[in-house]
Amino acid sequence: MYSLAALESLDEESLSQVTGTGLAIGFEDFRWLVKPTSYFEQVGSDPVGNTTLQRGDLRWYGVNISGAGAGGFHWDESGGNFGTSCDASSLGCPRGGLISDFAPHDNPYLLRAFSPRGVGYDGSILNNDPNNPDKTIYEYLAPSAQPDYTFSFWGELEVGRTGNNDNLAVGTGDLLKTQTIIRGNAANSAFRLFQFTQPGNETFAILYHSSLQGDFRFSAAQQGGSASDVVGQPVRFDALEGLHFKNVDAYVPLGQLYYQALTLDTVPAQDGNFILEIPRLPDVPTHTAVHDHFYSLVVPDSPDAGYITARAALLTNTPGATPTHTVDDSYFVTHGYSRWGDWYPCRGVGCPAVSTTPSPNRNAYDDTDDGIFFRKCEGCDDFDAFAYMITAVDVRPGQDDYSCPGGSNCGDYAPRGGTGGVADRYYRQAVNCTASNGSDYQCGYGGSYSINSGTDYTTVNKTNPSTLLGVPGTNTLPVIRTGAANLGDARAEGLQVNYMKFTSYGAGN
């Protein structure tokens, strides 16, 4: 026994009863490649007058969106050859294969025009009646979840060019070639177009909420067999060298529906330059819908009111923490964050008890799996890493707690590297600190730690950076000679764009 099914045609009466909610765009087995010699260019202008500025040109080559699995290739393609093979499951390979479920049919990109409810610049509610809307917007939404993929390009920074750009081989300046690789996804990002509601400035408006997750790498070292300083010639970049950001999760909201916009305008001189601006948030007495609901908790007015909101939002996104206030979901739409690494230390009210053992998520000095780190190129010598130990300070009004982790002789917030023993001032061969309840900042904000660089530790005779701050210090500096230097994890919460203005200027302006 079996059954058959087939598509059926719809008559005009049936079609008239269909209500569309947008255009769904699905991508399966997707890959987008631009030839490594094709580029976008920003052309600088020749400086005029008495200036030391030089012309600068930027070019971005071979923009690529491809898979992040095994199998991939470098930029040095020729003929029908995609380039030297490499493994796109790592940050050492700029281009990969197909993305099987980039945007599947049940979680596609969505393109639509509709009229969502929102707040105008004057605080009034817009589109309160769905049958009689006030404003209509256009939006393009990314899938709510995506597999990791590779986004990459290689670029050139050329300084001091004297020739025109019709022939890049003539009149070249000093050249730096770089490579940028992002291995992650942009799920939940949103792009919207609407009419701004500021009185007297009801202009074309843009909103972009950027969500990015994944790993990032910026590098400049080229592999020896393909190194070249010829303008426009693709090269193979080293598989390891560069500045890395691992386990990144970032959300940056630029603009909000109706009452805050990203706008474009020309400069008054009409000389080809432009202004990109987010006007200041409205500040009108009746606008409690924006100030109270979107940007702060409705709590009794006090010096700590803003701090309470930010603190509660931070604890909401901290594993093991217990915030004393509930933060409205709208706060997490209007406030962004940037988290580099997976370690979220917490101190103070609402945080878990201070651990007396180092966190398993705390990075080693040469960790290459998490956080922010510099790494040498393949076959290169190790480099000397040096750092002052960090002073933790509580800057709230009425608070003056601070500490010098692992040592004493802090002084009154003196820069690290001042008077005191070398062992009190610098990261060195072996150092540890054990935190305890009641002394939350005894070992700094991150709590207990134990560092042992073993045979990587040595000393060098170099100028002490503290002298640049006017603080005397020894020139015998302890360093860790290593192939990777991990700077740790970083976290910024509650990113609110209140005002932004960018004006472009040519070198001759």
Side-chain angles (χ1 to χ4, degrees), residues 18 27 31 35 84 89-90 100 104 116 127 172 187 242 257 291 293 319 325 365 380 382 387 455 470 479 496-497:
V18 175
F27 297 98
R31 180 170 62 183
K35 193 172 180 62
T84 303
S89 64
S90 72
S100 58
N127 297 329
T172 58
L257 265 184
H291 289 132
H293 183 67
H325 293 75
Y365 68 88
C380 293
D382 288 344
T455 57
V479 298
Q496 175 190 337
V497 181

PDB file of all heavy atoms in Angstrom, residues 18 27 31 35 84 89-90 100 104 116 127 172 187 242 257 291 293 319 325 365 380 382 387 455 470 479 496-497:
ATOM      1  N   VAL A  18      -5.064  34.542   0.893  1.00  0.00           N
ATOM      2  CA  VAL A  18      -3.722  34.351   1.423  1.00  0.00           C
ATOM      3  C   VAL A  18      -3.179  35.673   1.960  1.00  0.00           C
ATOM      4  O   VAL A  18      -3.268  36.706   1.298  1.00  0.00           O
ATOM      5  CB  VAL A  18      -2.777  33.786   0.344  1.00  0.00           C
ATOM      6  CG1 VAL A  18      -1.349  33.715   0.880  1.00  0.00           C
ATOM      7  CG2 VAL A  18      -3.240  32.416  -0.098  1.00  0.00           C
ATOM      8  N   PHE A  27      19.028  29.496   2.065  1.00  0.00           N
ATOM      9  CA  PHE A  27      20.290  29.163   1.393  1.00  0.00           C
ATOM     10  C   PHE A  27      20.794  27.832   1.931  1.00  0.00           C
ATOM     11  O   PHE A  27      21.104  27.716   3.115  1.00  0.00           O
ATOM     12  CB  PHE A  27      21.349  30.241   1.648  1.00  0.00           C
ATOM     13  CG  PHE A  27      21.024  31.597   1.107  1.00  0.00           C
ATOM     14  CD1 PHE A  27      20.482  32.571   1.933  1.00  0.00           C
ATOM     15  CD2 PHE A  27      21.259  31.909  -0.222  1.00  0.00           C
ATOM     16  CE1 PHE A  27      20.192  33.837   1.458  1.00  0.00           C
ATOM     17  CE2 PHE A  27      20.962  33.168  -0.719  1.00  0.00           C
ATOM     18  CZ  PHE A  27      20.423  34.130   0.116  1.00  0.00           C
ATOM     19  N   ARG A  31      27.798  29.080  -0.830  1.00  0.00           N
ATOM     20  CA  ARG A  31      29.151  29.646  -0.719  1.00  0.00           C
ATOM     21  C   ARG A  31      29.228  30.862  -1.635  1.00  0.00           C
ATOM     22  O   ARG A  31      28.719  30.841  -2.758  1.00  0.00           O
ATOM     23  CB  ARG A  31      30.215  28.616  -1.127  1.00  0.00           C
ATOM     24  CG  ARG A  31      31.645  29.152  -1.041  1.00  0.00           C
ATOM     25  CD  ARG A  31      32.692  28.061  -1.217  1.00  0.00           C
ATOM     26  NE  ARG A  31      32.639  27.403  -2.510  1.00  0.00           N
ATOM     27  CZ  ARG A  31      33.416  26.388  -2.864  1.00  0.00           C
ATOM     28  NH1 ARG A  31      34.283  25.893  -1.983  1.00  0.00           N
ATOM     29  NH2 ARG A  31      33.306  25.831  -4.048  1.00  0.00           N
ATOM     30  N   LYS A  35      36.758  36.733  -6.448  1.00  0.00           N
ATOM     31  CA  LYS A  35      38.113  36.417  -6.902  1.00  0.00           C
ATOM     32  C   LYS A  35      39.138  37.195  -6.081  1.00  0.00           C
ATOM     33  O   LYS A  35      38.948  38.385  -5.796  1.00  0.00           O
ATOM     34  CB  LYS A  35      38.245  36.768  -8.390  1.00  0.00           C
ATOM     35  CG  LYS A  35      39.483  36.194  -9.049  1.00  0.00           C
ATOM     36  CD  LYS A  35      39.445  36.421 -10.544  1.00  0.00           C
ATOM     37  CE  LYS A  35      40.694  35.839 -11.209  1.00  0.00           C
ATOM     38  NZ  LYS A  35      40.789  34.382 -11.030  1.00  0.00           N
ATOM     39  N   THR A  84      46.211  26.966  -2.763  1.00  0.00           N
ATOM     40  CA  THR A  84      46.851  25.965  -1.931  1.00  0.00           C
ATOM     41  C   THR A  84      45.884  25.493  -0.853  1.00  0.00           C
ATOM     42  O   THR A  84      45.230  26.297  -0.192  1.00  0.00           O
ATOM     43  CB  THR A  84      48.117  26.539  -1.285  1.00  0.00           C
ATOM     44  OG1 THR A  84      48.997  27.013  -2.322  1.00  0.00           O
ATOM     45  CG2 THR A  84      48.832  25.486  -0.470  1.00  0.00           C
ATOM     46  N   SER A  89      38.633  24.472   9.169  1.00  0.00           N
ATOM     47  CA  SER A  89      38.081  24.331  10.515  1.00  0.00           C
ATOM     48  C   SER A  89      38.929  25.079  11.543  1.00  0.00           C
ATOM     49  O   SER A  89      38.627  25.053  12.735  1.00  0.00           O
ATOM     50  CB  SER A  89      37.981  22.850  10.902  1.00  0.00           C
ATOM     51  OG  SER A  89      39.261  22.250  10.966  1.00  0.00           O
ATOM     52  N   SER A  90      39.983  25.754  11.084  1.00  0.00           N
ATOM     53  CA  SER A  90      40.836  26.546  11.959  1.00  0.00           C
ATOM     54  C   SER A  90      40.913  27.970  11.425  1.00  0.00           C
ATOM     55  O   SER A  90      40.486  28.257  10.302  1.00  0.00           O
ATOM     56  CB  SER A  90      42.244  25.951  12.025  1.00  0.00           C
ATOM     57  OG  SER A  90      42.933  26.176  10.805  1.00  0.00           O
ATOM     58  N   SER A 100      26.195  23.878   4.378  1.00  0.00           N
ATOM     59  CA  SER A 100      25.023  23.061   4.050  1.00  0.00           C
ATOM     60  C   SER A 100      23.719  23.721   4.493  1.00  0.00           C
ATOM     61  O   SER A 100      22.721  23.687   3.763  1.00  0.00           O
ATOM     62  CB  SER A 100      25.157  21.672   4.684  1.00  0.00           C
ATOM     63  OG  SER A 100      25.298  21.777   6.093  1.00  0.00           O
ATOM     64  N   PRO A 104      18.347  27.487   6.351  1.00  0.00           N
ATOM     65  CA  PRO A 104      17.425  26.451   5.875  1.00  0.00           C
ATOM     66  C   PRO A 104      15.987  26.961   5.748  1.00  0.00           C
ATOM     67  O   PRO A 104      15.660  28.049   6.237  1.00  0.00           O
ATOM     68  CB  PRO A 104      17.539  25.361   6.943  1.00  0.00           C
ATOM     69  CG  PRO A 104      17.990  26.085   8.173  1.00  0.00           C
ATOM     70  CD  PRO A 104      18.862  27.209   7.695  1.00  0.00           C
ATOM     71  N   PRO A 116       5.287  47.529  13.092  1.00  0.00           N
ATOM     72  CA  PRO A 116       5.360  47.120  14.499  1.00  0.00           C
ATOM     73  C   PRO A 116       5.071  48.282  15.438  1.00  0.00           C
ATOM     74  O   PRO A 116       5.283  49.453  15.110  1.00  0.00           O
ATOM     75  CB  PRO A 116       6.800  46.641  14.644  1.00  0.00           C
ATOM     76  CG  PRO A 116       7.550  47.451  13.643  1.00  0.00           C
ATOM     77  CD  PRO A 116       6.625  47.616  12.483  1.00  0.00           C
ATOM     78  N   ASN A 127       1.652  53.035  16.008  1.00  0.00           N
ATOM     79  CA  ASN A 127       1.060  51.770  15.544  1.00  0.00           C
ATOM     80  C   ASN A 127       0.337  51.052  16.675  1.00  0.00           C
ATOM     81  O   ASN A 127       0.400  49.823  16.789  1.00  0.00           O
ATOM     82  CB  ASN A 127       2.130  50.864  14.923  1.00  0.00           C
ATOM     83  CG  ASN A 127       2.757  51.470  13.686  1.00  0.00           C
ATOM     84  OD1 ASN A 127       2.112  52.223  12.954  1.00  0.00           O
ATOM     85  ND2 ASN A 127       4.015  51.158  13.447  1.00  0.00           N
ATOM     86  N   THR A 172      53.419  53.564  -6.875  1.00  0.00           N
ATOM     87  CA  THR A 172      53.064  52.887  -5.623  1.00  0.00           C
ATOM     88  C   THR A 172      53.782  53.524  -4.439  1.00  0.00           C
ATOM     89  O   THR A 172      54.857  54.119  -4.567  1.00  0.00           O
ATOM     90  CB  THR A 172      53.417  51.394  -5.689  1.00  0.00           C
ATOM     91  OG1 THR A 172      54.821  51.255  -5.960  1.00  0.00           O
ATOM     92  CG2 THR A 172      52.628  50.705  -6.782  1.00  0.00           C
ATOM     93  N   ALA A 187      23.868  35.289  13.451  1.00  0.00           N
ATOM     94  CA  ALA A 187      22.465  34.984  13.723  1.00  0.00           C
ATOM     95  C   ALA A 187      21.843  36.069  14.603  1.00  0.00           C
ATOM     96  O   ALA A 187      22.503  36.636  15.468  1.00  0.00           O
ATOM     97  CB  ALA A 187      22.349  33.626  14.399  1.00  0.00           C
ATOM     98  N   GLY A 242      49.521  36.497  14.479  1.00  0.00           N
ATOM     99  CA  GLY A 242      48.524  37.549  14.487  1.00  0.00           C
ATOM    100  C   GLY A 242      47.878  37.785  15.836  1.00  0.00           C
ATOM    101  O   GLY A 242      48.233  37.198  16.860  1.00  0.00           O
ATOM    102  N   LEU A 257      13.900  51.704  16.918  1.00  0.00           N
ATOM    103  CA  LEU A 257      12.765  52.030  16.067  1.00  0.00           C
ATOM    104  C   LEU A 257      12.117  53.360  16.442  1.00  0.00           C
ATOM    105  O   LEU A 257      11.757  53.588  17.603  1.00  0.00           O
ATOM    106  CB  LEU A 257      11.714  50.919  16.128  1.00  0.00           C
ATOM    107  CG  LEU A 257      11.793  49.857  15.035  1.00  0.00           C
ATOM    108  CD1 LEU A 257      10.646  48.869  15.148  1.00  0.00           C
ATOM    109  CD2 LEU A 257      11.836  50.477  13.646  1.00  0.00           C
ATOM    110  N   HIS A 291      13.017  56.778  28.707  1.00  0.00           N
ATOM    111  CA  HIS A 291      13.996  56.839  29.787  1.00  0.00           C
ATOM    112  C   HIS A 291      13.778  55.782  30.859  1.00  0.00           C
ATOM    113  O   HIS A 291      14.718  55.137  31.312  1.00  0.00           O
ATOM    114  CB  HIS A 291      13.977  58.236  30.412  1.00  0.00           C
ATOM    115  CG  HIS A 291      14.552  59.287  29.523  1.00  0.00           C
ATOM    116  ND1 HIS A 291      13.939  60.480  29.269  1.00  0.00           N
ATOM    117  CD2 HIS A 291      15.688  59.301  28.797  1.00  0.00           C
ATOM    118  CE1 HIS A 291      14.663  61.198  28.434  1.00  0.00           C
ATOM    119  NE2 HIS A 291      15.735  60.510  28.128  1.00  0.00           N
ATOM    120  N   HIS A 293      11.463  53.034  30.808  1.00  0.00           N
ATOM    121  CA  HIS A 293      11.189  51.662  30.400  1.00  0.00           C
ATOM    122  C   HIS A 293      12.364  51.035  29.658  1.00  0.00           C
ATOM    123  O   HIS A 293      12.698  49.879  29.873  1.00  0.00           O
ATOM    124  CB  HIS A 293       9.938  51.632  29.521  1.00  0.00           C
ATOM    125  CG  HIS A 293       9.530  50.246  29.120  1.00  0.00           C
ATOM    126  ND1 HIS A 293       9.069  49.315  30.028  1.00  0.00           N
ATOM    127  CD2 HIS A 293       9.522  49.624  27.914  1.00  0.00           C
ATOM    128  CE1 HIS A 293       8.783  48.188  29.391  1.00  0.00           C
ATOM    129  NE2 HIS A 293       9.051  48.351  28.115  1.00  0.00           N
ATOM    130  N   PRO A 319      26.970  33.656  35.036  1.00  0.00           N
ATOM    131  CA  PRO A 319      26.642  32.334  35.587  1.00  0.00           C
ATOM    132  C   PRO A 319      26.791  32.291  37.100  1.00  0.00           C
ATOM    133  O   PRO A 319      27.791  32.747  37.661  1.00  0.00           O
ATOM    134  CB  PRO A 319      27.671  31.416  34.902  1.00  0.00           C
ATOM    135  CG  PRO A 319      28.044  32.134  33.642  1.00  0.00           C
ATOM    136  CD  PRO A 319      27.996  33.583  33.979  1.00  0.00           C
ATOM    137  N   HIS A 325      17.195  42.655  41.348  1.00  0.00           N
ATOM    138  CA  HIS A 325      16.136  43.291  40.587  1.00  0.00           C
ATOM    139  C   HIS A 325      15.963  42.553  39.262  1.00  0.00           C
ATOM    140  O   HIS A 325      16.921  42.009  38.712  1.00  0.00           O
ATOM    141  CB  HIS A 325      16.449  44.766  40.297  1.00  0.00           C
ATOM    142  CG  HIS A 325      16.473  45.634  41.513  1.00  0.00           C
ATOM    143  ND1 HIS A 325      17.511  45.626  42.407  1.00  0.00           N
ATOM    144  CD2 HIS A 325      15.569  46.531  41.977  1.00  0.00           C
ATOM    145  CE1 HIS A 325      17.263  46.494  43.380  1.00  0.00           C
ATOM    146  NE2 HIS A 325      16.087  47.054  43.130  1.00  0.00           N
ATOM    147  N   TYR A 365      49.145  31.903  30.573  1.00  0.00           N
ATOM    148  CA  TYR A 365      49.816  32.999  29.886  1.00  0.00           C
ATOM    149  C   TYR A 365      50.010  32.719  28.402  1.00  0.00           C
ATOM    150  O   TYR A 365      50.123  33.645  27.592  1.00  0.00           O
ATOM    151  CB  TYR A 365      51.157  33.314  30.549  1.00  0.00           C
ATOM    152  CG  TYR A 365      52.199  32.224  30.392  1.00  0.00           C
ATOM    153  CD1 TYR A 365      53.046  32.181  29.289  1.00  0.00           C
ATOM    154  CD2 TYR A 365      52.330  31.228  31.355  1.00  0.00           C
ATOM    155  CE1 TYR A 365      53.994  31.186  29.146  1.00  0.00           C
ATOM    156  CE2 TYR A 365      53.269  30.227  31.233  1.00  0.00           C
ATOM    157  CZ  TYR A 365      54.096  30.208  30.121  1.00  0.00           C
ATOM    158  OH  TYR A 365      55.030  29.197  29.985  1.00  0.00           O
ATOM    159  N   CYS A 380      59.182  31.192  13.547  1.00  0.00           N
ATOM    160  CA  CYS A 380      59.767  32.417  14.110  1.00  0.00           C
ATOM    161  C   CYS A 380      60.258  32.164  15.539  1.00  0.00           C
ATOM    162  O   CYS A 380      59.805  31.234  16.213  1.00  0.00           O
ATOM    163  CB  CYS A 380      58.741  33.547  14.121  1.00  0.00           C
ATOM    164  SG  CYS A 380      58.246  34.116  12.468  1.00  0.00           S
ATOM    165  N   ASP A 382      60.651  32.829  19.580  1.00  0.00           N
ATOM    166  CA  ASP A 382      59.755  33.285  20.631  1.00  0.00           C
ATOM    167  C   ASP A 382      60.022  34.766  20.924  1.00  0.00           C
ATOM    168  O   ASP A 382      61.105  35.297  20.655  1.00  0.00           O
ATOM    169  CB  ASP A 382      59.969  32.468  21.905  1.00  0.00           C
ATOM    170  CG  ASP A 382      59.438  31.045  21.772  1.00  0.00           C
ATOM    171  OD1 ASP A 382      58.659  30.789  20.831  1.00  0.00           O
ATOM    172  OD2 ASP A 382      59.813  30.200  22.609  1.00  0.00           O
ATOM    173  N   ALA A 387      54.398  42.309  31.532  1.00  0.00           N
ATOM    174  CA  ALA A 387      53.177  42.993  31.976  1.00  0.00           C
ATOM    175  C   ALA A 387      53.306  43.385  33.430  1.00  0.00           C
ATOM    176  O   ALA A 387      53.855  42.654  34.252  1.00  0.00           O
ATOM    177  CB  ALA A 387      51.956  42.096  31.775  1.00  0.00           C
ATOM    178  N   THR A 455      60.538  27.365  32.664  1.00  0.00           N
ATOM    179  CA  THR A 455      61.770  27.756  31.981  1.00  0.00           C
ATOM    180  C   THR A 455      61.546  28.876  30.966  1.00  0.00           C
ATOM    181  O   THR A 455      62.510  29.390  30.388  1.00  0.00           O
ATOM    182  CB  THR A 455      62.402  26.543  31.275  1.00  0.00           C
ATOM    183  OG1 THR A 455      61.447  25.984  30.362  1.00  0.00           O
ATOM    184  CG2 THR A 455      62.814  25.480  32.284  1.00  0.00           C
ATOM    185  N   GLY A 470      56.695  58.812  34.650  1.00  0.00           N
ATOM    186  CA  GLY A 470      57.381  59.575  35.668  1.00  0.00           C
ATOM    187  C   GLY A 470      57.638  58.811  36.943  1.00  0.00           C
ATOM    188  O   GLY A 470      57.933  59.412  37.986  1.00  0.00           O
ATOM    189  N   VAL A 479      60.588  38.813  32.137  1.00  0.00           N
ATOM    190  CA  VAL A 479      59.741  38.549  30.969  1.00  0.00           C
ATOM    191  C   VAL A 479      59.483  37.052  30.857  1.00  0.00           C
ATOM    192  O   VAL A 479      60.191  36.232  31.449  1.00  0.00           O
ATOM    193  CB  VAL A 479      60.383  39.063  29.663  1.00  0.00           C
ATOM    194  CG1 VAL A 479      60.574  40.567  29.693  1.00  0.00           C
ATOM    195  CG2 VAL A 479      61.711  38.344  29.393  1.00  0.00           C
ATOM    196  N   GLN A 496      25.457  51.420  25.637  1.00  0.00           N
ATOM    197  CA  GLN A 496      24.358  52.255  25.167  1.00  0.00           C
ATOM    198  C   GLN A 496      24.907  53.348  24.258  1.00  0.00           C
ATOM    199  O   GLN A 496      25.774  54.119  24.656  1.00  0.00           O
ATOM    200  CB  GLN A 496      23.613  52.886  26.344  1.00  0.00           C
ATOM    201  CG  GLN A 496      22.527  53.863  25.922  1.00  0.00           C
ATOM    202  CD  GLN A 496      21.982  54.652  27.100  1.00  0.00           C
ATOM    203  OE1 GLN A 496      22.075  54.217  28.237  1.00  0.00           O
ATOM    204  NE2 GLN A 496      21.434  55.812  26.822  1.00  0.00           N
ATOM    205  N   VAL A 497      24.416  53.406  23.032  1.00  0.00           N
ATOM    206  CA  VAL A 497      24.834  54.451  22.100  1.00  0.00           C
ATOM    207  C   VAL A 497      23.883  55.631  22.276  1.00  0.00           C
ATOM    208  O   VAL A 497      22.755  55.613  21.773  1.00  0.00           O
ATOM    209  CB  VAL A 497      24.826  53.944  20.646  1.00  0.00           C
ATOM    210  CG1 VAL A 497      25.286  55.054  19.708  1.00  0.00           C
ATOM    211  CG2 VAL A 497      25.713  52.710  20.500  1.00  0.00           C
TER     212      VAL A 497
END
